[in-house]
Amino acid sequence: MSIESSIKTALNTADGGTIGISPAAEDLDPIDFFGVWYDAAEEFGIFMPEAVALATTTLDGAPSARMVLLKSVDERGFVFFTNYGSRKASELEKNPQAALCFHWAELERQVRVTGAVERISPEESYAYFSSRGRGSRIGAWASKQSEPLPDRATLEDRVREAQQRFAEDDVPLPPFWGGYRIRPGTIEFWQGKADRLHDRLVFTRSGDAWTTERLYP
Ligand SMILES: Cc1cc2nc3c(=O)[nH]c(=O)nc-3n(C[C@H](O)[C@H](O)[C@H](O)COP(=O)(O)O)c2cc1C
């Protein structure tokens, strides 16, 4: 069976119309499965399907969460970009573990990811940074993300300074800015179903392979 047809089988409805997660999904690679759900969210027209909650913790276990944008995903993991001096980065540098939670409400779908986090290479960060508009690149230089800001004028001054500094030149990648990759240890797919009898399927990494398990809703 081709990967496309196994994915179709995995998504097929077996219960009179409510789309569930069929047993065939258990044989899929979870990154491929994520790609199918992500594409479905895009095709459905969900606003910013790439928006995802990112949870980190301090070393003594206090959690914090905020939204980030997923910029790429492949078998190595899920990548987002940020300021390496931000609160999230400082927590990730001390405790390089994170959780992601996507919610595509109109499709009644949630995907949860947990895993170890690492910085991506400066080359990879540069490749993405240089694809951003000039305004965003200047903004990255101007923002000391998560530090106290005395007033809006201070930020605007810093934007002007960065504009002058790079007036002639291309805006280079700030040394304090780049991507993180979450290497998934678990990926859980949740599909809403009638009477709160939702489907939950968890993939857990086991060496180079994945094991699967169903959970009560
Ligand atoms: C939809 C949405 C997407 C966001 N995407 C990012 C992002 O990709 N990277 C980022 O650093 N902040 C992003 N932010 C801002 C963060 O939520 C957060 O305010 C900021 O990164 C500071 O978080 P921290 O102080 O915990 O580090 C986004 C906010 C929203 C609402």
Side-chain angles (χ1 to χ4, degrees):
M1 199 187 274
S2 73
I3 197 136
E4 287 79 14
S5 56
S6 24
I7 286 170
K8 258 196 197 124
T9 312
L11 290 171
N12 259 345
T13 89
D15 58 358
T18 315
I19 294 176
I21 304 174
S22 85
E26 294 161 24
D27 297 327
L28 297 178
D29 178 281
I31 299 291
D32 290 339
F33 198 10
F34 178 84
V36 172
W37 274 28
Y38 188 87
D39 290 348
E42 266 191 331
E43 277 161 29
F44 195 83
I46 283 173
F47 182 61
M48 295 177 77
E50 72 276 31
V52 57
L54 164 76
T56 57
T57 68
T58 60
L59 264 187
D60 53 5
S64 65
R66 80 290 289 152
M67 301 303 292
V68 294
L69 298 179
L70 177 74
K71 286 297 169 183
S72 68
V73 58
D74 60 24
E75 68 290 345
R76 295 170 299 167
F78 295 75
V79 173
F80 68 92
F81 290 86
T82 196
N83 184 309
Y84 287 143
S86 64
R87 173 178 174 179
K88 72 182 85 52
S90 131
E91 293 184 0
L92 287 172
E93 298 294 327
K94 291 182 194 123
N95 177 17
Q97 312 226 39
L100 296 174
C101 185
F102 296 86
H103 178 213
W104 299 311
E106 294 86 339
L107 294 171
E108 293 187 65
R109 283 177 177 171
Q110 170 181 253
V111 180
R112 296 165 65 177
V113 177
T114 63
V117 179
E118 60 194 15
R119 285 191 189 196
I120 64 172
S121 69
E123 292 73 26
E124 279 179 276
S125 290
Y126 175 77
Y128 170 65
F129 188 75
S130 55
S131 76
R132 290 166 40 123
R134 186 176 167 85
S136 301
R137 285 180 280 149
I138 291 285
W141 276 97
S143 176
K144 299 184 191 176
Q145 192 177 54
S146 312
E147 285 191 23
L149 173 66
D151 49 34
R152 182 84 197 171
T154 306
L155 177 60
E156 286 163 5
D157 285 347
R158 287 182 58 84
V159 170
R160 268 189 294 278
E161 278 163 29
Q163 277 165 344
Q164 280 158 13
R165 182 169 168 198
F166 303 116
E168 306 296 323
D169 307 323
D170 197 15
V171 185
L173 174 71
F176 53 83
W177 195 96
Y180 283 105
R181 176 174 285 115
I182 300 169
R183 185 173 183 273
T186 67
I187 307 183
E188 182 195 319
F189 296 87
W190 182 102
Q191 175 69 64
K193 304 254 291 173
D195 301 326
R196 307 250 160 110
L197 298 176
H198 316 302
D199 271 348
R200 298 178 67 186
L201 176 62
V202 187
F203 291 78
T204 303
R205 190 189 290 277
S206 159
D208 286 339
W210 294 92
T211 59
T212 58
E213 188 173 41
R214 298 260 172 180
L215 301 180
Y216 281 96

